[in-house]
């Protein structure tokens, strides 16, 4: 008897509490999304893909570049992989071009990697064992060469996405992409 009344009192008291918890949870989720910062900017772009072309979207991804400020980078998904798009500053471009190619583990000129110097588009998968390097979010460490840093085993990439230090053997891959307009690209 005592147990029954305890259970019912518990249930009655619990329902509003559960709703409150759910609201709190949603609120926290929203907060967490905001905290992701520039990386979160990527998701609206993905949803801009024409929904009637779902199948095509698996092989290509269109990205609106216009919200990306100089010095900012975003991540978009393409064929299940993250792709980093960085709008480089003038010093970052200069830095990428000032490198002696003979010093690079995987020698490649910046001009062979970036169709337009201001924009760098690379697959965000470390060429060592496939981790996603840090450096896209404003608060991320960018490594010793101002690009990306893979903390898995300590690979440093420069502002052209080229491997400069650490165990990764290759530069970050440049995917096939096309400028549809000055502020829109199609990857794939
Ligand atoms: S996976 Fe990046 S350093 Fe090992």
């Amino acid at each position: 008897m005592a147990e029954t009344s305890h259970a019912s009192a518990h249930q009655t008291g619990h329902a509003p509490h559960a709703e409150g918890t759910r609201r709190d949870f949603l609120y926290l989720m929203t907060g967490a999304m905001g905290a992701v910062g520039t990386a979160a900017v990527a998701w609206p772009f993905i949803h801009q893909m024409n929904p009637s072309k779902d199948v095509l979207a698996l092989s290509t991804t269109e990205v609106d570049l216009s919200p990306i400020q100089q010095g900012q980078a975003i991540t978009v998904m393409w064929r299940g992989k993250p792709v980093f798009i960085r709008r480089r500053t003038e010093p970052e471009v200069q830095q990428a071009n000032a490198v002696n190619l003979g010093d690079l583990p995987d020698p490649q000129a910046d001009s062979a990697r970036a169709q337009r110097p201001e924009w760098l588009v690379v697959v965000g998968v470390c060429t060592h064992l496939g981790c996603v390097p840090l450096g896209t979010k404003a608060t991320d460490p960018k490594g010793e060469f101002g690009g990306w840093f893979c903390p898995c085993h300590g690979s440093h990439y420069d502002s052209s996405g080229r491997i400069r230090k650490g165990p990764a053997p290759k530069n970050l891959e440049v995917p096939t992409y096309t400028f549809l307009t000055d502020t829109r690209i199609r990857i794939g």
Side-chain angles (χ1 to χ4, degrees):
M1 226 13 214
E3 262 184 35
T4 310
S5 64
H6 172 76
S8 100
H10 179 72
Q11 276 165 9
T12 329
H14 192 258
H17 175 69
E19 266 196 26
T21 306
R22 193 154 50 241
R23 274 198 304 272
D24 289 349
F25 178 69
L26 288 173
Y27 174 76
L28 286 171
M29 283 292 287
T30 314
M33 286 297 285
V36 172
T38 51
V41 175
W43 298 108
F45 298 158
I46 291 167
H47 292 298
Q48 283 175 16
M49 292 187 300
N50 189 337
S52 70
K53 293 179 182 168
D54 274 353
V55 176
L56 184 63
L58 292 175
S59 57
T60 64
T61 297
E62 280 191 28
V63 185
D64 177 9
L65 304 176
S66 56
I68 311 171
Q69 304 298 310
Q70 277 210 332
Q72 268 189 339
I74 64 163
T75 304
V76 297
M77 293 305 288
W78 171 66
R79 295 183 185 170
K81 290 187 275 194
V83 171
F84 300 150
I85 302 173
R86 181 176 284 189
R87 185 173 185 180
R88 300 187 297 184
T89 60
E90 191 55 39
E92 283 173 333
V93 173
Q94 283 171 5
Q95 203 181 9
N97 282 296
V99 178
N100 180 352
L101 295 193
D103 294 340
L104 298 174
D106 182 12
Q108 222 180 3
D110 184 63
S111 57
R113 295 177 53 78
Q115 290 182 24
R116 299 189 185 186
E118 191 176 25
W119 297 101
L120 183 73
V121 182
V122 289
V123 175
V125 175
C126 182
T127 59
H128 181 224
L129 294 178
C131 294
V132 177
L134 300 173
T136 297
K137 283 190 274 178
T139 52
D140 277 354
K142 292 183 169 50
E144 290 179 24
F145 298 88
W148 286 270
F149 173 61
C150 185
C152 300
H153 314 89
S155 287
H156 298 252
Y157 295 90
D158 66 13
S159 59
S160 186
R162 294 171 300 199
I163 183 64
R164 301 295 294 276
K165 184 178 174 184
K170 292 278 179 193
N171 302 330
L172 294 179
E173 182 195 344
V174 176
T176 302
Y177 65 95
T178 310
F179 274 90
L180 302 173
T181 69
D182 281 348
T183 57
R184 194 168 190 86
I185 60 168
R186 183 180 58 225
I187 305 169

